[in-house]
Amino acid sequence: MAKEKGLTPQSQDFNEWYNEVIQRAELVDYGPVRGTMVIRPYGFGLWENIQRALDDMFKATGHTNAYFPLFIPMSFFQKEAEHVEGFAPELAVVTHAGGEELEEPLAVRPTSETIIGHMWAKWVRTYRDLPQLLNQWGNVVRWELRTKPFLRTSEFLWQEGHTAHATQAEAEAEVRQMLGVYAKMSREWAAVPVWEGVKTESEKFAGAVYTTTIEAMMRDGKALQSGTSHYLGTNFAKAFDIQFQDRDQQNKYVHTTSWGLSTRMVGAVIMTHGDDKGLILPPRIAPVQVVIVPIYKSDTREQVMPAVERLAADLKAAGVRVVLDDRDQYSPGFKFNEWELKGVPLRLEIGPRDVEAGTAVLASRLGGKETVQLAEVVGQIPHKLEAFQAALYQRALEFRDSHTWEVDSFEEFKEKVEQGFVKAFHCGDKECEKQIKAETTATTRCIPFDEPEAHGSCVRCGKPSAYGKRILFAKAY
């Protein structure tokens, strides 16, 4: 019975806490097909706010939205060897439609490099057709064996950016620019601190020359890859014959990039900020920023409701996402718990005495209560929300930094990687990486861009470091 009242504490079982909070806060439910999820309105509201912020940044950097088919001929995947090898185990394939067997099986989109490459081969003729700067919002299907809502599901929502350029330098600048957009969204909207860096060869995207990534730390010390940006070189251009006539009259292959961020970011927000009471949502992306809970008995309802209704209307007019919880069937205490579970940043409590005094009680989801003047509260709330956003980011940053260690011995590596992130030297050998994973379940997360230059011996085998700096290891989702 006790468990039904409260969530399983994170320290007891983080996995169970996550599974409970996503359902009890009404973010998501399980779909009837194994590995699928139903994103409920509250969860979708969170995704929409992430989407809006990203879409604005994509457009500000010159990208336009387009849409490509969900069904992709299987022959397209055979054209890029690494790509097909990487995605083959996850493909969902349609073999029958309209009561007949199809001439060629169709893959349900796992990602769109192939079909966009096919179209670019038709559209790109000369340097005047470049760059191509496209983004697509949609769903993809990757048949996962072990699934977890928001983090890894057979179908998920995302955006995938695809660009084609005349030169390698332009394409590589695009890769970094878009990773920077993801990092900005993550830090400034989701309040999630991230490391930006390059994936090692064994962790890169299938078909890429290299992959860049943002890596976040969850409150159990595990890593979550939260967005990736890939330089594809001329791999897909050669596979799909995307050539253009350059200014020098020579025919050349385009250089392409792709970059994606998915509903995993919702999982990152849940696991970076949540506590034993439930979610804690960053105000900039929270579906509800302020909840007003009126406190009255039957004989004081008429005294309280006009004041709270006026306040709700004023906050709404000021651009605040506000809910007035006037449900009579629930007690104020029940409402407090429910909105805490749902992670709403600020709560205003107003009873008959508050109305008489012209005040309200303002409670923060990060803790603490204060009495505020009703006449001033509408002007104060936007500042309070920004302060909450900054405090939430700072809290996550301090947690991450206090759970990140530099290590030089494999013994220390094994001990510390159980608790968080480890920065260590590595020889760059794929076999050595495999051994580390086999012995500790930890993987290389990235070679961080801002890690200072340093040299040392591989933490496991003792050979010289291959990267000229320490790289990041962690157990990951």
Side-chain angles (χ1 to χ4, degrees):
M1 284 302 288
K3 191 171 166 186
E4 188 49 41
K5 274 165 65 181
L7 297 165
T8 297
Q10 290 184 355
S11 57
Q12 190 181 312
D13 189 337
F14 192 84
N15 196 41
E16 194 51 38
W17 169 85
Y18 181 84
N19 292 337
E20 287 171 9
V21 80
I22 56 174
Q23 286 200 277
R24 299 210 347 220
E26 298 182 339
L27 294 175
V28 75
D29 207 343
Y30 296 94
V33 175
R34 192 177 68 85
T36 62
M37 63 175 170
V38 177
I39 306 175
R40 299 184 68 176
Y42 194 62
F44 202 81
L46 195 52
W47 173 240
E48 275 182 314
N49 290 334
I50 292 169
Q51 199 178 21
R52 203 168 287 128
L54 275 177
D55 203 60
D56 287 346
M57 286 191 270
F58 295 160
K59 286 174 178 149
T61 45
H63 301 81
T64 49
N65 288 330
Y67 188 80
F68 293 82
L70 179 68
F71 299 116
I72 302 173
M74 275 300 285
S75 57
F76 283 19
F77 285 91
Q78 315 301 333
K79 291 187 178 186
E80 214 293 326
E82 271 187 28
H83 195 62
V84 68
E85 192 185 330
F87 278 100
E90 298 177 348
L91 287 180
V93 183
V94 179
T95 56
H96 290 72
E100 293 178 11
E101 188 168 350
L102 298 174
E103 270 182 48
E104 180 179 356
L106 302 173
V108 183
R109 171 176 61 222
T111 181
S112 300
E113 281 78 7
T114 59
I115 197 159
I116 292 174
H118 173 81
M119 298 312 296
W120 276 341
K122 287 172 66 174
W123 299 341
V124 175
R125 287 282 171 265
T126 79
Y127 66 88
R128 293 184 189 89
D129 300 321
L130 297 171
Q132 293 276 325
L133 304 174
L134 300 179
N135 176 60
Q136 167 170 278
W137 290 99
N139 58 340
V140 284
V141 171
R142 296 179 186 177
W143 217 253
E144 299 279 4
L145 293 174
R146 283 172 41 244
T147 61
K148 196 175 184 65
F150 292 123
L151 304 184
R152 199 176 285 280
T153 47
S154 294
E155 179 193 6
F156 57 88
L157 302 182
W158 77 342
Q159 62 67 219
E160 48 179 316
H162 295 268
T163 70
H165 305 265
T167 67
Q168 176 174 344
E170 263 184 56
E172 291 198 73
E174 168 77 5
V175 169
R176 279 299 293 270
Q177 171 181 252
M178 299 324 289
L179 191 77
V181 164
Y182 290 161
K184 184 180 171 74
M185 202 290 304
S186 189
R187 292 172 187 138
E188 296 181 18
W189 272 266
V192 173
V194 289
W195 270 290
E196 297 171 70
V198 183
K199 286 284 190 190
T200 58
E201 273 294 299
S202 53
E203 292 282 326
K204 74 176 184 182
F205 175 75
V209 175
Y210 63 79
T211 289
T212 64
T213 180
I214 55 170
E215 299 284 329
M217 182 189 288
M218 306 299 99
R219 284 191 85 75
D220 60 351
K222 281 190 182 173
L224 186 73
Q225 176 183 295
S226 305
T228 47
S229 182
H230 317 286
Y231 172 56
L232 306 174
T234 54
N235 294 352
F236 285 87
K238 286 173 178 167
F240 289 90
D241 198 28
I242 315 164
Q243 294 191 55
F244 70 102
Q245 192 178 60
D246 207 347
R247 285 180 171 84
D248 60 10
Q249 307 299 304
Q250 299 296 308
N251 273 0
K252 296 174 186 175
Y253 287 109
V254 298
H255 291 257
T256 66
T257 80
S258 65
W259 26 276
L261 186 145
S262 75
T263 36
R264 273 200 135 198
M265 184 52 79
V266 176
V269 168
I270 297 163
M271 294 196 294
T272 300
H273 303 309
D275 65 10
D276 290 349
K277 290 180 182 176
L279 306 172
I280 301 178
L281 298 182
R284 287 187 180 180
I285 58 171
V288 179
Q289 295 170 315
V290 177
V291 62
I292 302 171
V293 180
I295 299 165
Y296 52 77
K297 297 197 167 87
S298 54
D299 58 339
T300 52
R301 192 179 195 279
E302 294 308 311
Q303 184 187 352
V304 173
M305 286 313 292
V308 293
E309 283 165 359
R310 196 160 52 245
L311 177 58
D314 289 348
L315 282 169
K316 197 172 182 183
V320 175
R321 295 189 288 275
V322 61
V323 166
L324 169 55
D325 190 346
D326 56 1
R327 297 173 296 173
D328 281 338
Q329 68 270 39
Y330 296 113
S331 68
F334 177 90
K335 293 177 186 179
F336 293 170
N337 287 338
E338 183 176 11
W339 292 109
E340 281 183 353
L341 172 70
K342 290 192 157 201
V344 174
L346 300 177
R347 180 177 77 235
L348 284 163
E349 307 162 12
I350 303 173
R353 284 184 190 164
D354 299 301
V355 175
E356 279 173 24
T359 60
V361 173
L362 178 68
S364 166
R365 181 62 181 82
L366 284 172
K369 283 188 175 190
E370 60 179 309
T371 300
V372 292
Q373 297 297 313
L374 276 177
E376 296 166 11
V377 74
V378 175
Q380 290 175 344
I381 288 290
H383 305 293
K384 300 271 186 197
L385 290 170
E386 280 303 298
F388 187 103
Q389 179 89 20
L392 195 60
Y393 180 76
Q394 198 52 38
R395 171 179 176 262
L397 188 62
E398 284 168 12
F399 180 85
R400 183 193 79 173
D401 290 351
S402 65
H403 289 78
T404 303
W405 295 274
E406 286 190 4
V407 305
D408 292 309
S409 77
F410 199 46
E411 282 313 303
E412 199 182 2
F413 180 101
K414 287 192 275 195
E415 179 202 335
K416 293 299 188 189
V417 88
E418 292 298 323
Q419 303 160 53
F421 283 38
V422 163
K423 289 179 177 180
F425 292 112
H426 190 258
C427 61
D429 182 0
K430 284 185 183 180
E431 278 310 306
C432 184
E433 246 182 271
K434 264 189 197 163
Q435 282 305 117
I436 290 174
K437 187 176 181 178
E439 291 175 46
T440 66
T441 72
T443 51
T444 56
R445 301 318 306 155
C446 70
I447 306 151
F449 291 133
D450 62 0
E451 187 65 18
E453 197 178 310
H455 296 277
S457 304
C458 175
V459 71
R460 187 187 160 274
C461 72
K463 288 180 192 161
S465 141
Y467 303 108
K469 57 170 71 175
R470 290 177 185 271
I471 71 171
L472 212 54
F473 290 85
K475 298 188 171 198
Y477 281 98

